[in-house]
Amino acid sequence: MTTETPTAGATGPGAALPDTPEGGARPGPDGRLRCPWGTGPEDYAAYHDTEWGRPVHGDDALFERLCLEAFQSGLSWLTILRKREAFRAAFAGFHIPAVAAFTEDDEARLLADSGIVRNRAKISAALANARVAAEWAPGELDRLVWSHAPDPATRRVPRSTAEVPGSTPESTALAKELKRRGFRFVGPTTAYALMQACGLVDDHLADCWRRGTAAR
């Protein structure tokens, strides 16, 4: 969840929200220590505790996350979270063959749908990316994304949000490969946000209760 021009130390939704508290883990209402952004609105807390950093597999599931990360670029991730069900309804559950078959009428429908982010370039990219992915073998998107997961042993455990990068060599390589294969609107920072969200990396802070709790 980030923009393509991240601020230093950006992590999770905080990358898109400059006013998100930074620093070390903080206690939530239940007393558990969480990443600072996870102690914010209930939507963030639930996402932090139940989704962010947990491994996600499956072509459609990863396609959905890629689309949502791209739609978030320049916006608050909270906006995307609160529109997620509308996105799923508008994009046929992000089932790749279904989205790949969308017509110009469907694109016009999406542009008129107030339940989602009505950005022509992002909508066009989502449809174009679906058409690319629809040509791949089953499981190919999953394999491509996960082939860029770094060795956890090589990664520093962050103690504060300032120690979490906005992009990495692995996310840069993933973005480059997706673009080479025809994907649009996927840069190194969006790719890294995907890696954080889908469990390719564990960027929960050292003292966060969710750190290390999700197995691949």
Side-chain angles (χ1 to χ4, degrees):
M1 296 140 293
T2 186
T3 67
E4 281 306 302
T5 53
T7 56
T11 174
L17 296 174
D19 57 341
T20 296
E22 295 188 354
R26 299 185 178 189
D30 58 1
R32 278 179 163 174
L33 292 176
R34 290 175 172 83
C35 303
W37 63 268
T39 62
E42 289 185 10
D43 309 68
Y44 272 168
Y47 181 68
H48 172 275
D49 288 0
T50 64
E51 293 189 61
W52 196 71
R54 291 180 182 267
V56 173
H57 284 281
D59 292 344
D60 290 350
L62 288 167
F63 175 67
E64 175 184 350
R65 296 302 185 92
L66 273 169
C67 288
L68 293 181
E69 296 293 354
F71 271 105
Q72 182 273 327
S73 181
L75 302 172
S76 162
W77 181 247
L78 189 60
T79 298
I80 303 302
L81 279 181
R82 291 175 174 173
K83 290 178 177 286
R84 184 158 57 168
E85 291 309 315
F87 269 110
R88 286 172 171 167
F91 282 89
F94 291 97
H95 183 47
I96 292 171
V99 180
F102 277 12
T103 65
E104 290 183 0
D105 288 343
D106 287 304
E107 186 166 358
R109 168 181 60 80
L110 293 168
L111 286 167
D113 189 342
S114 62
I116 66 171
V117 175
R118 294 179 288 180
N119 179 291
R120 185 180 297 275
K122 294 176 182 179
I123 289 172
S124 177
L127 303 191
N129 292 347
R131 292 172 189 133
V132 170
E135 297 297 319
W136 297 357
E140 189 169 353
L141 178 59
D142 187 300
R143 288 190 293 272
L144 187 156
V145 170
W146 277 90
S147 72
H148 290 80
D151 180 353
T154 67
R155 290 181 53 79
R156 177 183 181 182
V157 177
R159 301 202 65 85
S160 74
T161 55
E163 296 177 5
V164 180
S167 64
T168 62
E170 292 86 1
S171 75
T172 299
L174 174 57
K176 182 177 180 179
E177 181 62 15
L178 286 168
K179 287 182 177 180
R180 186 186 72 81
R181 295 191 181 208
F183 269 62
R184 291 156 46 185
F185 227 97
V186 181
T189 309
T190 292
Y192 190 65
L194 174 80
M195 294 171 73
Q196 291 176 306
C198 296
L200 281 76
V201 297
D202 184 355
D203 273 346
H204 285 283
L205 301 185
D207 294 328
C208 175
W209 80 272
R210 278 283 290 108
R211 175 77 197 181
T213 61
R216 291 187 181 177

